[in-house]
Amino acid sequence: MSEKILTIDGLSVSYGPIQALRNVTLQVNKGEIVAILGANGAGKTTLLQTISGLLKPNAGQIAFQNQNITGWAPEQIVKTHLIHVPEHRQVFSTLTVLDNLYLGAFHHSRKSNKKMIEEDIEKIFSLFPILRERKEQLAGTLSGGQQQMLAIARGVMAKPILLLLDEPTLGLAPIIARDVLSLVKSLKDLFGTTVLLIEQNVVSSLKISDRAYVISHGEIVKSGDAAILLEDKEIKEAYLGQTIH
Ligand code: ATP
């Protein structure tokens, strides 16, 4: 049987009078890429921010590796190796690419020896050769796609057991967006990372995912194997005309 990494049960979250999530139940198994799909304002970012402790739910439970982490502070959650890469590619723009990567390892740098960190950087450079080429360059001078790759790579340096990715293709040209998503798939092969991915690019994210949940107005309205959802009539109708394939 597949090992559950993340289990969310009956989660509800509000911003004052606005209820952003209603009774959300989902799970992520070890080694999976699971996509959360939905339109603007559906509640996707709220979901990730609640998992990583930035928002507190008013009902429901979140368990990570069989431990109830509901209501934990973000700095406690990050220590469990549940790592959140937020939207808008937040890199330290005045630091070099290499220093951004070292900062990603900050939480475990005392436990890990220098050699392990160097090995991780080497693996990252083999996956993202452009970052090796630009390692001494200031992160703020990278292109949008390169900054997104750096943001993901920095998340990987934190040795994630589960990586939460919030819209990694936002604002990228279609061809770059496709590259970023195919790199997300490679993370699983190279680092064994399990990924919970939020995306508006439904077709391209379903292509790299194992399973997906569709969220609308704060509720899960559909879920299943990605390959089956790709053929789903309602999904095809709702997302017809997407530019990235
Ligand atoms: P997008 O793709 O546009 O980022 P999303 O699916 O991530 O959308 P959320 O950002 O989670 O959606 O927003 C869910 C709902 O909660 C929306 O109705 C939004 O207006 C509302 N919301 C989000 N953040 C806040 C906030 N800080 N205060 C009040 N309402 C908020």
Side-chain angles (χ1 to χ4, degrees), residues 197-213:
L197 168 74
I198 279 190
E199 264 298 336
Q200 285 192 42
N201 286 314
V202 173
V203 175
S204 27
S205 48
L206 281 175
K207 282 184 178 166
I208 64 143
S209 299
D210 298 291
R211 290 189 302 113
Y213 293 85

Side-chain angles (χ1 to χ4, degrees), residues 15 18 20 39-46 87 167 200:
Y15 299 97
I18 300 164
N40 275 324
K44 305 180 301 297
T45 296
T46 301
E87 60 187 338
E167 297 215 30
Q200 285 192 42

Side-chain angles (χ1 to χ4, degrees), residues 16-37:
I18 300 164
Q19 189 163 11
L21 291 180
R22 273 188 202 87
N23 197 24
V24 168
T25 293
L26 62 84
Q27 72 182 55
V28 179
N29 300 315
K30 190 173 164 56
E32 281 187 317
I33 298 179
V34 174
I36 305 286
L37 310 170

